[in-house]
């Protein structure tokens, strides 16, 4: 309790500036209100009280920001890779120096618990360091020889880009999308989610204080249907890096069609964790519980479908249910809290409605199953486990994006694979087995962009991140992000005086 009180005092001190001055846009290096003076409130999911008034950008603000990004592009693209590397490391250092502030503000704006957010800033700094180190080689290409010809490929930054991020872990995701864009030499207009805009403001300030030139990174707050839409339609914006729901991705594709926008989509998931009887069941249960109940279940890579071999199904789901019941729900700033309040009452209602849908479809609640009366009276939902479900049920097919897990038994490997692939999504899969041949066979046939065997999601930044089917288009991580933010050019040199056809004499 003393730790929570202490943290609340610190959080208030960090939030004071937002309460007093609101959250402004950042365009061409200036903190500005929206062009027409519109604002909206960001609420804390803990007590549903407003934290700050936020500038509500629309098409005119996006236009200013896109023009600022365009004006800054030529000079930023011309900065050497080594100089970009140094600057991005300075941004990473500054993020680390303000890690506590970032974590506390993120907790209060999103409801995510400090247990996980304490590391969010450090992970964000790692994203900057990873791409800082690669900036000097971003333009490198290949040389491809042919008789009488030497081809040289090179990459150049595509131009000003738009980055649109969701509300679940906004700080980490913004760094993940923006750091490679800057390292590639692109300038950026960032439109963060309207439900959790605070740390995006901290991030752009940190970058400019570290020395990022004005206009290289612009921030426009606002709603998807006006600011987001205008960004995807703007002719000066060459590409859109988007993280969010699958149906929003589809809208963005339509909106960007007119200007032939390059798009990169990281979308939703209904990710299976598949547990065979020969697995280490205790470790598999810990991993399944971690992957669905950490980050409030508001996690694209969460393992929201639990497929268990029938012979161990009851034993395994009992284990998961016991663990789920023991999870501490509470104030996000309480260091003991695992599950905090969900982002917003509308989202809470969606998650609770799925719990009712599960019951009405005939599934049985083995843990949780409803609202939790947490501190502040906010959007708390108990970690929930459904058993007795089938893969046809809506709770097995639709992304709930909350702490709700649906368990389904399977009789053999063929059925496990059929169930795992029977969804519109294909972001991640988690396979638990001690049979290595089966693991090779199964992962080969599983529809997912990322698969972990005998492990929860442990990210290694050089590896590709992204999904198949409705879970996304394109990959981040390693060099893949540069491929998105850069154009590849080929230059062919004649190395011998080859004969040229003479037309017209
Ligand atoms: P969302 O799609 O509702 O919103 C995401 C962003 O898009 C917000 O900034 C929003 O303002 C903007 N937006 C909305 N409509 C728009 C439009 N017409 N044009 C342009 N922009 C628009 O998603 P959300 O509810 O904020 O986030 C949750 C979703 O994000 C889940 O589906 C989750 O799986 C997904 N997600 C995916 C990943 C991943 O890496 N695959 C990571 C985190 C979250």
């Amino acid at each position: 309790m003393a730790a929570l009180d202490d943290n609340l005092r610190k959080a208030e001190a960090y939030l004071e500036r937002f309460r007093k001055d609101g959250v402004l846009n950042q365009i061409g290096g200036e903190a500005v209100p929206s062009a027409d003076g519109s604002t909206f409130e960001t609420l804390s999911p803990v007590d549903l009280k407003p934290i700050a008034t936020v500038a509500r950008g629309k098409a005119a603000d996006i236009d200013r920001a896109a023009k600022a990004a365009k004006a800054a592009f030529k000079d930023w693209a011309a900065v050497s890779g080594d100089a970009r590397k140094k600057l991005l490391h300075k941004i990473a250092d500054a993020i680390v120096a303000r890690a506590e502030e970032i974590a506390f503000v993120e907790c209060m704006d999103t409801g995510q618990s400090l247990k996980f957010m304490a590391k969010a800033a450090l992970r964000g700094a790692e994203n900057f360091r990873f791409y800082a180190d690669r900036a000097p080689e971003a333009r490198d290409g290949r040389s491809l020889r042919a008789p009488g010809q030497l081809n040289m490929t090179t990459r150049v930054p595509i131009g000003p880009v738009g980055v649109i991020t969701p509300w679940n872990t906004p700080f980490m995701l913004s760094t993940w999308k923006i750091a490679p864009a800057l390292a590639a030499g692109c300038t950026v207009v960032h439109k963060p989610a309207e439900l959790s805009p605070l740390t995006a403001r901290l991030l752009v300030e940190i970058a400019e204080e570290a020395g990022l030139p004005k206009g290289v990174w612009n921030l426009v707050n606002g709603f998807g249907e006006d600011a987001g839409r205008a960004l995807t339609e703007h002719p000066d914006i060459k590409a859109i890096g988007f993280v969010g729901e699958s149906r929003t991705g589809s809208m963005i594709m339509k909106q960007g069609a007119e200007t032939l926008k390059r798009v990169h989509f990281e979308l939703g998931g209904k990710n299976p964790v598949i547990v065979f009887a020969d697995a280490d069941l205790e470790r598999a249960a810990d991993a399944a519980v971690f992957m669905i109940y950490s980050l409030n279940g508001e996690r694209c890579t969460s393992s929201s479908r639990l497929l268990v071999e029938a012979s161990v199904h009851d034993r395994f789901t009992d284990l998961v249910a016991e663990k789920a019941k023991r999870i501490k729900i509470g104030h996000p700033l309480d260091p003991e809290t695992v599950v905090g309040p969900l982002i917003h009452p509308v989202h809470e209602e969606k998650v609770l409605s799925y719990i009712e849908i599960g019951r009405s479809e005939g599934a049985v609640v083995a843990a949780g199953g409803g609202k939790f009366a947490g501190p502040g009276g906010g959007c708390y939902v108990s970690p929930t486990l459904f058993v007795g479900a089938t893969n046809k049920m809506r709770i097995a097919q639709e992304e709930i994006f909350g702490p709700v897990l649906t368990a389904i038994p399977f009789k053999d490997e063929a059925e496990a694979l059929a169930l795992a692939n029977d969804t519109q999504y294909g972001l991640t899969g988690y396979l638990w087995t001690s049979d290595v041949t089966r693991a090779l066979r199964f992962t080969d046939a599983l529809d997912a962009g990322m698969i972990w065997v005998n492990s929860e999601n442990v990210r290694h930044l050089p590896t590709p991140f992204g999904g198949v089917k409705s879970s996304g288009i394109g990959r981040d991580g390693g060099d893949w992000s540069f491929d998105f933010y850069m154009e590849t050019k080929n230059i062919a040199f004649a190395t011998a005086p080859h004969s040229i056809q003479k037309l017209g004499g």
Side-chain angles (χ1 to χ4, degrees), residues 204-471:
V204 71
E205 280 175 17
I206 286 171
E208 289 195 352
E209 281 164 25
L212 194 71
K214 290 179 177 193
V216 170
W217 180 339
N218 304 276
L219 167 74
V220 179
N221 287 287
F223 295 172
E225 63 265 26
D226 41 36
R229 184 184 179 110
L231 184 56
T232 61
E233 290 176 343
H234 202 286
D236 290 338
I237 297 293
K238 299 301 169 200
I240 294 286
F242 170 73
V243 186
E245 281 190 37
S246 302
R247 67 164 187 269
T248 314
S250 158
M251 279 156 70
I252 289 176
M253 202 172 231
K254 284 195 201 110
Q255 293 161 196
E258 191 69 28
T259 50
L260 292 176
K261 211 68 92 208
R262 180 183 289 183
V263 292
H264 184 159
F265 290 161
E266 292 181 359
L267 309 173
K270 194 71 190 176
N271 310 302
V273 49
I274 306 120
V275 182
F276 283 92
D278 62 7
D280 181 330
L281 296 185
E282 185 62 44
R283 283 175 64 76
D286 282 336
V289 165
F290 175 79
M291 281 314 304
I292 184 65
Y293 302 126
S294 60
L295 302 179
N296 298 347
E298 297 165 319
R299 177 179 196 152
C300 56
T301 57
S302 75
S303 57
S304 49
R305 285 186 302 151
L306 177 58
L307 309 179
V308 193
E309 192 161 359
S311 59
V312 293
H313 173 273
D314 292 356
R315 208 169 104 211
F316 191 78
T317 51
D318 284 352
L319 207 55
V320 171
E322 277 164 34
K323 290 176 193 286
K325 286 176 194 162
R326 286 199 298 265
I327 284 177
K328 177 150 167 36
I329 312 164
H331 195 291
L333 290 177
D334 182 337
E336 302 296 313
T337 293
V338 173
V339 170
L342 301 183
I343 183 81
H344 190 274
V346 171
H347 185 58
E348 180 194 14
E349 209 179 298
K350 172 185 156 183
V351 173
L352 290 173
S353 82
Y354 271 105
I355 296 177
E356 284 321 305
I357 289 168
R359 284 193 173 103
S360 68
E361 285 177 314
V364 176
V365 170
K371 193 168 165 55
F372 177 85
C379 312
Y380 298 90
V381 172
S382 301
T384 296
L385 172 67
F386 275 111
V387 294
T390 71
N391 210 47
K392 293 279 169 255
M393 292 179 177
R394 287 182 63 193
I395 54 166
Q397 288 292 328
E398 296 172 22
E399 188 185 42
I400 301 174
F401 217 55
V404 181
L405 178 59
T406 303
I408 300 162
F410 65 81
K411 61 176 188 309
D412 56 21
E413 190 182 317
E415 191 186 15
L417 184 64
L419 291 173
N421 285 344
D422 176 23
T423 156
Q424 62 161 315
Y425 296 107
L427 190 59
T428 65
Y430 305 89
L431 176 64
W432 288 85
T433 179
S434 57
D435 178 341
V436 73
T437 313
R438 168 159 54 204
L440 285 166
R441 200 168 47 227
F442 200 94
T443 52
D444 204 32
L446 186 60
D447 297 340
M450 296 169 281
I451 304 171
W452 280 268
V453 178
N454 295 331
S455 174
E456 77 285 28
N457 169 350
V458 179
R459 274 290 290 145
H460 179 49
L461 298 184
T463 60
F465 186 100
V468 303
K469 301 201 291 197
S470 300
S471 290

Side-chain angles (χ1 to χ4, degrees), residues 63-111:
D63 186 50
R64 267 188 74 192
K67 289 194 167 119
K70 187 180 179 186
F73 175 66
K74 198 161 163 267
D75 286 349
W76 178 244
V79 169
S80 76
D82 280 338
R84 271 207 295 279
K85 173 179 172 176
K86 276 201 194 89
L87 185 47
L88 296 189
H89 272 294
K90 272 183 80 182
I91 296 174
D93 294 341
I95 289 173
V96 172
R98 288 172 70 176
E100 185 183 81
E101 175 186 3
I102 292 162
F104 281 40
V105 169
E106 192 87 316
C107 289
M108 291 304 287
D109 205 19
T110 63

Side-chain angles (χ1 to χ4, degrees), residues 46-64:
V46 176
D47 55 11
L48 311 183
K49 293 197 180 124
I51 303 180
T53 302
V54 187
R56 182 176 170 185
K58 296 181 188 155
D61 307 270
I62 290 290
D63 186 50
R64 267 188 74 192

